[in-house]
Amino acid sequence: MRRWLLAAGLLLVALVLADRSDRPSAAPSEPRPSAMPPAPTFHAEPSGPPEEAAARPLRDLFRYADEAPAVRPARAATAARPPAPAASPEPPVRLVGIVRQSGGLRAALSIRGEVVLLRPGEAADGWTLVALDEAEARLRGPDGHEETVPLPE
């Protein structure tokens, strides 16, 4: 039994000493180097006077050094182009489509760029759907005039 106690005591002392050797000392004599070396710094600005940097052309990273750069022809002076004809203004209301639902037909109307679904008798943004069939819709505008809008082809 004494042998077992002596062996357990020696094992305990060995564990305590091993634990102490793994701990860092209070003040290390020299600092440990970091695991990663510092990243190199790159300067985006070229060295030399700014006038010299402005005179150098930029290098095309996608072209090999032994290839000659493509020469662009000088742009010929063009005569003033006539202005493009003004596009006719979009009508305030368009029939975009017709939707068949259980309650009957509905008109899909684009009123000033916003699409709404209307049944005959309903109104949106001042426009009232007066009549609707498979090919066209009849609308009454905010000012009271009626117009027929065909279904686009």
Side-chain angles (χ1 to χ4, degrees), residues 122-143:
E122 293 181 336
D125 205 16
W127 292 88
T128 305
L129 181 62
V130 176
L132 177 65
D133 63 19
E134 297 286 336
E136 61 188 20
R138 198 170 72 222
L139 300 164
R140 183 177 308 120
D143 58 356

Side-chain angles (χ1 to χ4, degrees), residues 81-153:
R81 294 182 188 168
S88 61
E90 186 175 324
V93 64
R94 290 184 304 125
L95 180 62
V96 178
I98 295 177
V99 179
R100 186 178 305 274
Q101 291 184 330
S102 60
L105 291 178
R106 287 188 177 199
L109 299 169
S110 172
I111 303 174
R112 293 183 183 89
E114 183 180 342
V115 178
V116 294
L117 289 176
L118 296 178
R119 288 187 185 130
E122 293 181 336
D125 205 16
W127 292 88
T128 305
L129 181 62
V130 176
L132 177 65
D133 63 19
E134 297 286 336
E136 61 188 20
R138 198 170 72 222
L139 300 164
R140 183 177 308 120
D143 58 356
H145 79 280
E146 286 190 10
E147 75 180 70
T148 302
V149 182
L151 186 65
E153 293 176 9

Side-chain angles (χ1 to χ4, degrees), residues 9-143:
L10 286 174
L11 183 61
L12 182 65
V13 170
L15 288 174
V16 169
L17 290 176
D19 185 44
R20 280 190 174 179
S21 66
D22 288 345
R23 292 185 191 164
S25 61
S29 57
E30 56 182 72
R32 290 184 178 180
S34 67
M36 294 177 43
T41 57
F42 295 102
H43 299 288
E45 297 178 17
S47 60
E51 301 83 27
E52 187 178 300
R56 280 189 297 212
L58 293 177
R59 181 174 176 269
D60 184 0
L61 297 176
F62 300 102
R63 184 178 307 276
Y64 291 106
D66 58 347
E67 286 182 10
V71 178
R72 295 183 184 164
R75 259 184 135 168
T78 59
R81 294 182 188 168
S88 61
E90 186 175 324
V93 64
R94 290 184 304 125
L95 180 62
V96 178
I98 295 177
V99 179
R100 186 178 305 274
Q101 291 184 330
S102 60
L105 291 178
R106 287 188 177 199
L109 299 169
S110 172
I111 303 174
R112 293 183 183 89
E114 183 180 342
V115 178
V116 294
L117 289 176
L118 296 178
R119 288 187 185 130
E122 293 181 336
D125 205 16
W127 292 88
T128 305
L129 181 62
V130 176
L132 177 65
D133 63 19
E134 297 286 336
E136 61 188 20
R138 198 170 72 222
L139 300 164
R140 183 177 308 120
D143 58 356

